[in-house]
Amino acid sequence: MSLAAPRPGADTGAARPIVEARAIHKHFGPLHVLKGVDLAVAERELVFIIGPSGSGKSTLLRCLNRLEEPSSGSVTVEGIDLLDRRTDLNAARQRIGMVFQSFNLYPHMTALGNVALALRKVQGKGRAEAEARARAALARVHLEDRAGHHPGQLSGGQQQRVAIARAIALEPRVMLFDEPTSALDPELVGGVLQVMRELREDGMTMVVVSHEMGFARAAADRVVFMADGRIVEQGPPAEIFGAPREERTRAFIGQVERH
């Protein structure tokens, strides 16, 4: 499968993709989850990955920063080969922020403490600088007034926004979102999606796995449809949602829209 270019007119920055995965295979024992996936992401592009459960979406996302080790293939971020044994993986991962379905916040620490901790432990910042940058990150997700609150005092949507602040405080070049709203009550989803829209407007490169199809239609540069461990089809949202070429894509979109 060929590497995909961003849609015409997208601001691609440099000619070389900021993230490039080639021929990614992933096996879990006898289970072949990813079957030769190629994906290239341009700078400032928002790529939205959709598909049925078990299609390999989240596994692919986790392979992009080696939370999952690909069985074969290559992954480069800004030209750095993440699978090269000589690569400082901890340093490379600072370029790739990730937000999960679960918030993974420390319950005994405040929102400010959770965000500042990553800056101190990962980047070695002093307390004052870490807290200043943490406050700025919390402001970007509209939670500056909740800096002193513990996770148990925050709604699920607010906790997810703290998790986003924790990731962006490290100033990554790329953000990966793995089902960031699926654990939230419906009325809390909007605040998280609004923060993601603002990151998009600020030029953050983003790869999103989610079932939020309205967000994909409105915000994505490119939608990637996966099934059975392969990319079946990809293109601009209007094409994928409005006139998909592949029968498998049409069936999935039809099923989603009926619900």
Side-chain angles (χ1 to χ4, degrees):
M1 190 167 296
S2 62
L3 293 174
R7 63 173 172 78
D11 183 357
T12 60
R16 182 170 63 183
I18 192 169
V19 177
E20 189 168 11
R22 287 182 177 269
I24 297 296
H25 287 263
K26 178 61 181 178
H27 297 265
F28 291 102
L31 188 61
H32 195 179
V33 177
L34 296 177
K35 303 171 183 176
V37 175
D38 294 342
L39 181 70
V41 181
E43 189 169 8
R44 301 173 67 89
E45 190 181 18
L46 194 165
V47 176
F48 211 99
I49 303 177
I50 65 174
S53 298
S55 59
K57 308 182 300 295
S58 293
T59 300
L60 174 61
L61 206 66
R62 293 167 69 88
C63 283
L64 295 181
N65 68 354
R66 272 187 64 190
L67 281 177
E68 292 289 355
E69 195 76 13
S71 301
S72 63
S74 67
V75 178
T76 58
V77 177
E78 291 192 302
I80 297 169
D81 182 354
L82 291 194
L83 303 184
D84 190 320
R85 293 180 180 179
R86 296 167 294 181
T87 296
D88 182 340
L89 190 56
N90 287 331
R93 278 186 178 146
Q94 292 182 46
R95 300 168 183 260
I96 317 171
M98 188 155 185
V99 176
F100 301 89
Q101 176 179 339
S102 55
F103 320 128
N104 298 323
L105 301 177
Y106 290 105
H108 64 286
M109 301 180 73
T110 63
L112 181 68
N114 270 280
V115 178
L117 182 65
L119 290 160
R120 298 184 67 189
K121 295 297 186 182
V122 176
Q123 294 189 342
K125 304 297 183 186
R127 181 182 295 273
E129 181 181 359
E131 291 192 353
R133 283 179 54 178
R135 288 185 188 280
L138 287 170
R140 286 187 71 184
V141 301
H142 310 294
L143 286 177
E144 57 267 49
D145 61 337
R146 297 290 191 272
H149 288 59
H150 288 77
Q153 299 172 300
L154 302 173
S155 71
Q158 289 171 334
Q159 290 182 59
Q160 187 62 289
R161 284 152 57 194
V162 172
I164 294 173
R166 178 177 57 192
I168 63 176
L170 297 172
E171 298 181 345
R173 300 280 285 118
V174 181
M175 284 284 287
L176 309 178
F177 291 86
D178 188 10
E179 300 282 9
T181 61
S182 63
L184 302 179
D185 293 333
E187 66 270 21
L188 302 178
V189 168
V192 173
L193 294 183
Q194 180 59 35
V195 166
M196 293 173 67
R197 286 189 185 93
E198 291 170 5
L199 291 176
R200 166 86 179 89
E201 291 164 3
D202 289 344
M204 177 65 75
T205 305
M206 300 164 66
V207 184
V208 180
V209 169
S210 176
H211 295 290
E212 297 291 341
M213 298 300 164
F215 181 66
R217 286 176 182 268
D221 292 304
R222 176 159 44 109
V223 176
V224 175
F225 173 66
M226 289 186 68
D228 301 322
R230 294 184 172 90
I231 293 177
V232 175
E233 184 173 356
Q234 54 189 309
E239 178 182 304
I240 297 299
F241 290 108
R245 298 184 303 274
E246 301 294 331
E247 174 57 35
R248 187 72 191 270
T249 314
R250 289 195 293 270
F252 177 79
I253 298 298
Q255 182 180 36
V256 167
E257 290 184 341
R258 283 195 298 273
H259 290 81

